[in-house]
């Protein structure tokens, strides 16, 4: 397996990221939470480190990490407020990978270098009634001379309030035998007719922003159609989401590791009746379950990333990894609150934030139910194909 970034260079990037997370971000988690904002100096530091383009190829100005390296980085980033990763998550993941995998050279040259140096791309797929089933989306793109005119409403779009570019999925025709009729367009955020709604008030991940985005007769040139083909959109979305699922799984492992570490250090020191609570075997059992989940998750994420790179499995393994790791992180975070007792319910305690932060991981980029459907249906279809 050859990679763009050799192991020595990658270890340096990983060590620098770990140091950024542990020494620059962790002391400011409460500040991020209270202000619902990642401070500008941390954003600038992340830009300087190349984190806005770590998964963008080097020829386009990024660090060029492959998915096996991406997941190691994600496990570090998951250790702190998930909002920090979210600042550049759409650039490296769902939005950026549409350009990397499906853009023309001209489109890559126009956008990828900008993203790698800190511009922000948002992935605009979801609509009311078209979340788990994006094939049902209703945003329309109509050809008008050399231009396309886009109209529709998107919701829950991560980074929309700070986006420079929207990667917008729109229907150019009704679904037919040739495919779902969905294309994808590159729409600069300052294009006439683009309106970004108010920031959503969310359960967790304070500092990561989402909002509605409306497109009212937004005119873009023919060159905005990704890959120059109307038939690329749905495949681009599915491929980008599948890759993203392995990344989200890794993020979940990082968050679960943090919840475990917080639990162990609390259990080792907090006392009841003079006895450290970690001496109680029922508390030890909770810690054992956390550790088991984290180790299993880490191994699964690494395996899924390897299978993606070798192209052995880009369908079932990403969903397996996302399903297991995000559900695992939810259970580990829940146990962490339990181990902390009443203090686990208090705002200033990290496990309270983790409990809310990780809840989202089971919802976006495909809910747990959708992952189960992907895994189950693919296994059954493969068996049926074998039988002829
Ligand atoms: C904070 C946040 C950030 C997001 N960021 C983005 C973004 O950047 N870009 C973007 O495009 N989208 C984004 N999303 C949208 C996200 O991907 C969707 O919310 C998610 O896919 C679920 O879709 P939905 O909300 O329409 O729920 P629904 O699809 O309506 O799901 C509701 C329930 O029904 C279940 N369900 C649905 N269909 C089936 C089925 N066929 N079989 C069994 N069960 C089913 C679901 O599993 C779930 O339990 C974000 C969402 C949130 C909350």
């Amino acid at each position: 397996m050859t990679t763009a970034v050799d192991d020595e260079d990658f270890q340096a990037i990983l060590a620098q990221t770990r140091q950024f997370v542990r020494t620059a971000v962790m002391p400011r988690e409460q500040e991020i939470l209270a202000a619902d904002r990642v401070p500008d100096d941390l954003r600038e530091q992340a830009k300087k480190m190349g984190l806005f383009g770590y998964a963008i190829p080097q020829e386009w100005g990024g660090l060029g990490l492959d998915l096996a390296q991406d997941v190691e980085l994600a496990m570090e980033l998951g250790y702190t407020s998930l909002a920090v990763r979210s600042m550049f998550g759409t650039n490296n993941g769902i939005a950026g990978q549409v350009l990397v995998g499906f853009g023309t050279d001209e489109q890559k040259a126009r956008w990828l270098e900008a993203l790698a140096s800190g511009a922000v791309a948002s992935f605009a797929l979801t609509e009311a009634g078209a979340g788990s089933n994006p094939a049902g989306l209703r945003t329309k793109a109509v050809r008008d001379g050399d231009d396309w005119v886009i109209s529709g409403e998107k919701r829950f779009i991560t980074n929309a309030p700070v986006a420079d570019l929207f990667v917008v999925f729109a229907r150019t025709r009704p679904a037919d035998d040739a495919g779902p009729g969905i294309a994808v367009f590159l729409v600069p955020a300052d294009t006439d007719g683009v309106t970004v709604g108010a920031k959503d008030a969310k359960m967790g991940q304070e500092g990561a922003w989402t909002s509605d985005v409306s497109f009212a007769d937004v005119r873009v040139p023919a060159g905005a159609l990704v890959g120059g083909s109307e038939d690329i959109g749905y495949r681009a979305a599915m491929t980008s989401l599948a890759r993203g699922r392995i990344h989200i799984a890794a993020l979940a492992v990082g968050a679960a590791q943090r919840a475990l570490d917080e639990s162990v250090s609390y259990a080792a020191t907090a006392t009841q009746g003079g006895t450290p609570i970690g001496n109680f075997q029922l508390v030890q059992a909770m810690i054992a379950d956390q550790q088991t989940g984290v180790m299993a998750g880490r191994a699964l994420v690494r395996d899924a990333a390897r299978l993606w790179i070798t192209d052995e499995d880009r369908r079932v393994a990403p969903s397996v990894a996302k399903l297991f790791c995000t559900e695992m992180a939810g259970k580990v975070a829940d146990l962490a609150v339990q181990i902390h007792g009443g203090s686990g319910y208090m705002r200033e305690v990290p496990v309270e934030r983790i409990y809310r932060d990780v809840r989202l991981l089971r919802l976006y980029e495909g809910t747990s139910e959708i992952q189960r459907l992907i895994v189950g249906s693919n296994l059954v279809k493969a068996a049926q194909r074998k039988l002829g």
Side-chain angles (χ1 to χ4, degrees):
M1 224 188 288
T2 54
T3 57
V5 182
D6 68 32
D7 196 50
E8 198 181 330
D9 289 346
F10 177 61
Q11 290 309 323
I13 293 169
L14 199 60
Q16 199 193 16
T17 305
R18 172 179 270 244
Q19 194 182 358
F20 171 65
V21 165
R22 310 256 169 158
T23 62
V25 182
M26 277 173 59
R28 300 177 73 181
E29 288 170 350
Q30 284 304 316
E31 180 187 341
I32 295 169
L33 192 159
D36 186 19
R37 180 185 186 89
V38 177
D40 291 344
D41 62 303
L42 292 182
R43 178 177 279 268
E44 287 310 310
Q45 226 176 308
K47 279 185 195 172
K48 282 203 193 107
M49 289 166 62
L51 292 176
F52 276 70
Y54 68 75
I56 292 175
Q58 289 178 349
E59 60 178 311
W60 306 110
L63 296 184
L65 303 191
D66 67 19
L67 192 57
Q69 295 166 333
D70 177 321
V71 296
E72 298 299 328
L73 205 73
M75 287 191 273
E76 294 296 336
L77 294 165
Y79 203 75
T80 189
S81 306
L82 295 189
V84 171
R85 193 276 335 180
S86 186
M87 282 192 302
F88 42 78
T90 49
N91 274 21
N92 292 293
I94 46 179
Q97 293 304 319
V98 169
L99 262 164
V100 170
F102 298 89
T104 61
D105 279 353
E106 215 179 341
Q107 290 167 337
K108 289 178 187 176
R110 164 75 183 85
W111 285 108
L112 286 179
E113 224 156 284
L115 299 184
S117 26
V120 173
S122 277
F123 177 88
L125 177 67
T126 302
E127 302 174 6
S132 293
N133 178 17
L137 65 79
R138 281 169 305 178
T139 293
K140 259 202 279 185
V142 178
R143 190 86 200 219
D144 183 24
D146 280 345
D147 297 338
W148 288 95
V149 179
I150 302 172
S151 315
E153 311 283 331
K154 301 290 181 177
R155 70 171 177 179
F156 307 146
I157 305 306
T158 300
N159 285 330
V162 289
D164 299 286
L165 171 69
F166 288 106
V167 175
V168 184
F169 295 82
R171 178 172 298 295
T172 59
R173 59 168 199 273
D176 55 25
D177 289 345
I182 293 170
V184 54
F185 296 87
L186 303 174
V187 181
D190 59 3
T191 311
D192 282 347
V194 176
T195 309
V196 176
K199 253 190 322 171
D200 296 321
K202 312 195 310 312
M203 174 192 288
Q205 297 206 13
E206 291 87 357
W209 299 339
T210 63
S211 62
D212 293 353
V213 186
S214 121
F215 299 86
D217 292 332
V218 174
R219 184 172 287 273
V220 289
L225 176 65
V226 174
S229 161
E230 283 178 50
D231 291 310
I232 276 179
Y234 194 71
R235 187 158 54 91
M238 292 305 116
T239 308
S240 189
L241 285 167
R243 188 183 185 284
R245 284 171 188 147
I246 303 176
H247 171 88
I248 296 292
L251 200 66
V253 172
Q257 179 72 61
R258 174 70 184 284
L260 165 65
D261 292 351
E262 294 287 339
S263 301
V264 172
S265 72
Y266 183 81
T269 51
T271 58
Q272 279 302 313
T275 305
I277 60 156
N279 288 11
F280 302 133
Q281 287 182 332
L282 290 179
V283 173
Q284 291 171 3
M286 288 194 270
I287 289 171
D289 286 349
Q290 290 177 311
Q291 171 75 9
T292 305
V294 170
M295 283 187 73
R298 186 179 298 116
L300 177 52
V301 157
R302 288 178 172 156
D303 198 35
R306 182 183 61 78
L307 292 168
W308 179 273
I309 290 174
T310 58
D311 207 7
E312 280 171 83
D313 182 358
R314 292 188 166 197
R315 207 174 279 260
V316 173
S319 289
V320 169
K322 183 175 188 279
L323 174 62
F324 179 83
C325 294
T326 61
E327 293 282 339
M328 175 278 291
K331 286 185 196 121
V332 168
D334 187 63
L335 288 170
V337 172
Q338 198 66 19
I339 289 167
H340 280 70
S343 39
Y345 201 66
M346 298 296 145
R347 260 296 135 91
E348 72 275 11
V349 172
V351 297
E352 185 273 345
R353 172 189 57 74
I354 297 168
Y355 181 82
R356 293 180 295 106
D357 273 7
V358 298
R359 189 63 187 85
L360 176 58
L361 307 180
R362 287 189 260 165
L363 297 170
Y364 68 1
E365 302 198 19
T367 62
S368 290
E369 291 70 42
I370 295 305
Q371 308 312 328
R372 286 189 172 96
L373 290 176
I374 292 171
V375 175
S377 67
N378 275 286
L379 293 184
V380 171
K381 272 188 224 149
Q384 288 169 338
R385 269 198 303 273
K386 257 192 198 158
L387 293 170

